[in-house]
Amino acid sequence: MLAFSKPPIPKRGTVRKLRPSIPKEARRAIPYLVVCLVCMERVCVHQSDASGVFSEFLQFSEESDVLLLAPHGGAVEAGTDVQAELVGNNLCSDDVTLWGTRGVFDGNFNETFSQFHTTSETHPLSYFEYYLDEVVSQEYGVAVSFHATGRNGIVVGGNEDSVVLESLCDELGECLGNEIVRVAGEGCMVGGQKPNNFVNYVDSDVSVHLEQNISVLLENVEEISGVVSEWVEMQL
């Protein structure tokens, strides 16, 4: 279990610039990701020592209708936190709540994943109560959780009506090719269908878990983010 300590709560509006924790291969593939990160308003460091850094971040708006989640950012599922930020910027970040984590463990992907890949089973939601309580305290029109995987293609999942999921699947298919995008079937291992999954835990009219092959994500992050942004706007 990760060590946990709460730092003093920064004042609202405090901006702390973060250095993105993205693997070298990802930075070489999409160098603009290094400079497109927005400054997060609040950061809670759960662990910071010689072995690695794991932090939780929040950009919160009490007026937001949209919640964007990146629970495995940094080097854990590379590019997902940046993707959430790109979508937030497209939608106007002042009206979006963005929550997630970033982890990096001695620069080694496998060890980073093993150490910092938090799940609703290995790390109960109470572990993130420092910021997550704030996130779940309000209702949203749309919630999207961004994930990356070594599995092929892109899976559109979550406990949502299949018609809604298929609408996003169709939009992504038009952009990337229908053969690589599909709706999660019942019991899909990466479908984000468990009730205590992050995106299913929040109160939202529409909730989607987006699981993306990491190579497809890194090569098409701007295009995918644009499609998701337009789709979110259509749901509001």
Side-chain angles (χ1 to χ4, degrees):
M1 178 65 71
L2 302 177
F4 178 76
S5 60
K6 292 185 178 181
I9 299 176
K11 294 180 180 178
R12 290 283 180 123
T14 298
V15 175
R16 195 180 300 181
K17 195 169 185 178
L18 300 178
R19 183 178 184 275
S21 300
I22 301 174
K24 290 181 179 179
E25 60 271 21
R27 293 202 295 270
R28 287 196 295 267
I30 40 175
Y32 69 86
L33 284 184
V34 177
V35 296
C36 74
L37 290 170
V38 298
C39 295
M40 294 294 96
E41 290 186 357
R42 283 179 283 168
V43 178
C44 171
V45 178
H46 288 247
Q47 176 177 327
S48 179
D49 53 37
S51 64
V53 178
F54 182 76
S55 61
E56 181 184 357
F57 62 88
L58 174 67
Q59 179 178 311
F60 184 73
S61 170
E62 295 180 347
E63 306 300 323
S64 64
D65 286 327
V66 178
L67 172 62
L68 304 175
L69 300 165
H72 306 136
V76 183
E77 294 180 3
T80 53
D81 52 329
V82 177
Q83 181 181 29
E85 291 165 352
L86 285 172
V87 174
N89 288 339
N90 290 340
L91 295 171
C92 180
S93 58
D94 289 343
D95 299 323
V96 172
T97 288
L98 172 61
W99 175 87
T101 72
R102 290 190 179 96
V104 61
F105 186 78
D106 197 25
N108 182 297
F109 170 76
N110 290 330
E111 291 183 352
T112 297
F113 190 90
S114 175
Q115 181 79 356
F116 296 137
H117 185 263
T118 57
T119 71
S120 53
E121 295 178 345
T122 61
H123 292 76
L125 292 169
S126 59
Y127 177 79
F128 301 103
E129 64 184 356
Y130 190 57
Y131 288 153
L132 203 55
D133 276 355
E134 220 169 329
V135 171
V136 301
S137 66
Q138 68 181 61
E139 300 176 359
Y140 302 91
V142 182
V144 181
S145 189
F146 298 92
H147 300 263
T149 178
R151 298 169 184 259
N152 293 332
I154 293 179
V155 176
V156 182
N159 287 335
E160 189 54 71
D161 185 276
S162 61
V163 174
V164 175
L165 299 181
E166 286 169 3
S167 67
L168 176 56
C169 186
D170 291 343
E171 296 293 331
L172 289 169
E174 286 187 16
C175 176
L176 302 171
N178 291 321
E179 67 278 2
I180 69 168
V181 187
R182 64 183 176 88
V183 172
E186 185 176 352
C188 175
M189 290 290 292
V190 293
Q193 298 166 340
K194 294 181 179 180
N196 56 347
N197 187 276
F198 286 109
V199 74
N200 299 325
Y201 187 75
V202 300
D203 189 351
S204 177
D205 295 334
V206 176
S207 300
V208 171
H209 175 105
L210 192 60
E211 194 80 43
Q212 307 152 101
N213 173 269
I214 191 165
S215 295
V216 173
L217 169 60
L218 294 177
E219 292 171 7
N220 303 277
V221 63
E222 194 170 53
E223 292 82 359
I224 296 172
S225 300
V227 170
V228 173
S229 302
E230 293 179 1
W231 181 84
V232 168
E233 289 182 326
M234 289 190 293
Q235 307 307 307
L236 296 174

